[in-house]
Amino acid sequence: MDFLINGKRRLSGSIEVSTAKNALLPILAACLLVEGTICLHKVTYFDDINNMLQILQNLGVKVCKYEQMLILDCQNINNYIIPLNLASKLRASIFCLGPLLGRLKKARVAYPGGCQIGTRPINIHLDGLKKLGINVVDRHGYINAFANNFRANKICLPFPSVGATENLIMASVLQKGKVTLQGVAKEPEIVDLCNFLNSVGAKITGAGSDEIIIEGVSKLSSGEYTPIPDRIITGTYLLLPLICGGKIEVCNAKPEHISPILYMLKNNSCNVRVKSDKIIVSCENRPKNFGKIETLPYPHFPTDLQQPLCAVATIAKGTTIITENLFESRFNHVPELIKMGAKIDVLDGSVVVHGVPDLYGAEVEAPDLRGGAALIMAGLGANGYTTVKNIDVVDRGYFKLEQTLNLIGADITRIN
Ligand code: EPZ
């Protein structure tokens, strides 16, 4: 699947942000802990979500979609195995490890897939589970784990891994005793997962801080929930006026989740207005450079917006230096941007982006989800036509992106 983009068109209009992929994914995994029915609202069926639903169905969950309302009957979880052909489709398959151990006390999960942005090990997940008395055997590309001797404990994570924090929370919810997790991730998606779990009977405190405490309970019950909006999609949309010119209103946003981006926009050559869950950005001039940007765990600048920001930096006035501290290979979009006339030097872990007045269209390939978004943004701002190949990786985290952007003035055609 490719996008053919006719660039250099101003974008103006209003866009509603969908629910967050990275909140929905752990919440779907957490449904495995519930002996009942869960109704989720405002669900967006990104490819990653559909792949996660396939995994849940394979474990015994009955899935009913009523447009954006999703009903999951989790009464009978009759399988504890996630085979490679399902697990390898996304990173979030590994999030099922914890809930399967909580519900069935055993799990056999193949190694996860996910964007090729680094080695993405799961050692923090597995070491944490072992410290909870869980027997983990990592062999032949499968994780086999047994929780018969679960032992409540205090664990300090060596790095605030989002997925490991989520897995350890879910592994602890239905166990006996109090588990204390320190040095945890503080992302809004962690808070949303804990809010969901508490809404169906869990006892979790401290989400969003350095320390999360889980008091084990015997059972979780049916309920319903609406996940938070996607802060990464929000940030991606807010950057569009800087590369295309125009005025975009993003609705259903949570400004408090994207403070670093809002700060940058307010200090650039654009006009920013925030009105409760609406954020309006307008820009008619060439953006200024962003100086030095470092990606760090929340609440600092998010790694998932590093690549979209890089696309804007290519046409900014002056030089922007972007340092990626979370993933060791998250610059695969850079050679593709250079094909479009960008001037970028790649150093060890950083890129130096020398702004040029204009990009020109080219045939480029999306290397991963957010790198693909960056190339689409560059194509929207470039002179002439750009073909972005491998759009399948973008469909994992942006839903019908071309339809959304064409509604505000873009000219994108999806071609097979
Ligand atoms: C989640 O991935 C997100 N994915 C990623 O979003 C996001 O970039 C990342 O968190 C950081 O915010 C989902 O939520 C599905 P990590 P995750 O564990 O959990 C290292 C997107 O574009 N690490 O916080 O995999 C790891 O290699 C995706 O939507 C270990 O060394 O991220 C990385 O360098 C991309 N051992 C760093 O920690 C481990 O056991 C951060 O990883 C786990 C992680």
Side-chain angles (χ1 to χ4, degrees), residues 48-60:
D48 268 12
I49 299 303
N50 288 326
N51 289 329
M52 187 61 134
L53 290 174
Q54 204 181 359
I55 288 173
L56 296 187
Q57 283 175 304
N58 190 54
L59 296 171

Side-chain angles (χ1 to χ4, degrees), residues 122-132 136 155 158 168:
I122 55 174
N123 59 310
I124 301 175
H125 298 243
L126 304 186
D127 293 347
L129 292 172
K130 289 173 187 168
K131 287 176 184 158
L132 293 172
V136 178
I155 300 174
L168 294 172

Side-chain angles (χ1 to χ4, degrees), residues 184-205:
V184 293
K186 305 178 200 170
E187 275 70 2
E189 293 77 23
I190 305 282
V191 176
D192 211 33
L193 170 64
C194 294
N195 288 341
F196 164 71
L197 285 167
N198 285 338
S199 76
V200 291
K203 285 188 183 152
I204 306 168
T205 52

Side-chain angles (χ1 to χ4, degrees), residues 21-22 25-26 48 91-92 95 115 117 119-126 159-164 166 187 231-232 303-304 325-328 330 369-370:
K21 167 179 82 81
N22 292 349
L25 287 168
D48 268 12
R91 174 73 177 179
F95 297 171
C115 285
I117 51 179
T119 50
R120 307 191 77 180
I122 55 174
N123 59 310
I124 301 175
H125 298 243
L126 304 186
F159 180 85
S161 156
V162 171
E166 291 164 343
E187 275 70 2
R231 61 193 168 99
I232 304 303
T303 176
D304 293 349
N325 292 308
L326 273 83
F327 292 101
E328 65 271 28
R330 198 163 197 172
L369 167 55
R370 308 301 174 185

Side-chain angles (χ1 to χ4, degrees), residues 188-189 191 228-231 253-260 262 298-299 302:
E189 293 77 23
V191 176
I228 54 173
D230 195 307
R231 61 193 168 99
K254 277 200 176 292
E256 65 273 24
H257 288 172
I258 49 164
S259 310
L262 285 180
Y298 193 87

Side-chain angles (χ1 to χ4, degrees), residues 163-181:
T165 301
E166 291 164 343
N167 235 334
L168 294 172
I169 289 168
M170 293 190 278
S172 305
V173 163
L174 290 181
Q175 304 287 5
K176 283 193 177 56
K178 180 172 93 171
V179 172
T180 301
L181 303 176

Side-chain angles (χ1 to χ4, degrees), residues 219-230:
K219 190 171 182 292
L220 297 182
S221 52
S222 301
E224 59 183 313
Y225 195 75
T226 304
I228 54 173
D230 195 307

